[in-house]
Amino acid sequence: MGKYIVAGNWKMNKLPSETYDYVKEVVEATKGSNCEVVCCTPYVCLAPAIEAAKGTHVKIGAENLHFEDKGAYTGEVSADMLVDLGVQYVIIGHSERREYNNETDETVNLKTKKALEKGLIPIVCVGESLEQREAGITMDLIAIQIKKAFADISAEDAKKVVIAYEPIWAIGTGKTATSDQAEEVCGGIRKILADLYCEKCSLEFTIQYGGSMNPGNAAELMAKPNIDGGLIGGASLVAENFAAITKSC
Ligand code: PEP
């Protein structure tokens, strides 16, 4: 329903010295894809990635940002720094950052607002653990994550946010959610957005699925009405696989 966007999340993989050539490979391989193609790279890879993507259809994103403008935050990177480099997208609230880096629904909200203020497109990640799924609280948890992420964000701004539904149990495990399971939650997210904003606005959001998406399952997942693309970890590290996913849209 929203615009199709397929974004790679390189995580802590690939070296700055490999990045230029790899992004060039992605540019070639993804030509003719019927979706927006994004590579989200580690901070240190952003400059060569942007150089390689300049003037092409591929957009570059970061994997995180800080919610303050500037100051004494050793080791952090601000939205202005990303914009100054030419970054267009930023992943916020990935489950790995929630688990290992104290990311909370509150910091996700602060970062989402900062990204929007500075003109970056946030890719906000939500998703449940296996325990939460088995306890039957998936949609309750997702509703909390979405409501908190979008607190104090107007409908006009909210529609610029990409939401990535990523069941934690499917990330990097090879265990993909079935297309029905993914559609059920993505459709549920659209209903939450309709309640928060309006029915018509909810149709404009891009809602991605992420979690072991690969060339073999991408077409079936993205054929579902509420799945508008994917956030891709492992399969984004091989250009041929990533391109096959972008061509499944
Ligand atoms: C991710 O980390 O966002 C992800 C979906 O990883 P993978 O595709 O490797 O499961």
Side-chain angles (χ1 to χ4, degrees), residues 179-215:
S179 55
D180 286 340
Q181 282 173 323
E183 168 64 11
E184 189 184 1
V185 179
C186 292
I189 290 173
R190 215 178 287 284
K191 280 204 192 79
I192 297 164
L193 294 168
D195 289 346
L196 274 182
Y197 297 105
C198 73
E199 187 85 33
K200 188 168 161 281
C201 330
S202 74
L203 304 179
E204 293 175 45
F205 279 82
T206 294
I207 304 177
Q208 300 173 318
Y209 167 78
S212 299
M213 197 188 261
N214 61 49

Side-chain angles (χ1 to χ4, degrees), residues 9 11 94 96 166 170-174 210-213 231-235:
N9 173 17
K11 311 191 186 192
H94 192 280
E96 289 152 14
E166 298 211 304
I171 297 178
T173 58
S212 299
M213 197 188 261
L231 183 58
I232 320 298

Side-chain angles (χ1 to χ4, degrees), residues 111-151:
K111 290 178 179 190
T112 304
K113 287 191 287 196
K114 186 55 68 180
L116 288 167
E117 179 194 325
K118 302 293 182 176
L120 292 164
I121 301 173
I123 301 177
V124 172
C125 303
V126 296
E128 81 289 2
S129 67
L130 188 58
E131 265 176 8
Q132 290 161 333
R133 172 161 283 266
E134 285 173 353
I137 58 168
T138 297
M139 274 329 295
D140 297 330
L141 177 96
I142 302 265
I144 293 169
Q145 289 177 335
I146 298 279
K147 282 178 192 158
K148 289 193 171 175
F150 284 91

Side-chain angles (χ1 to χ4, degrees), residues 29 42-43 63 89 92 135 142 195 219 232 246:
Y43 288 141
E63 297 174 14
Y89 283 79
I92 297 174
I142 302 265
D195 289 346
I232 320 298
T246 67

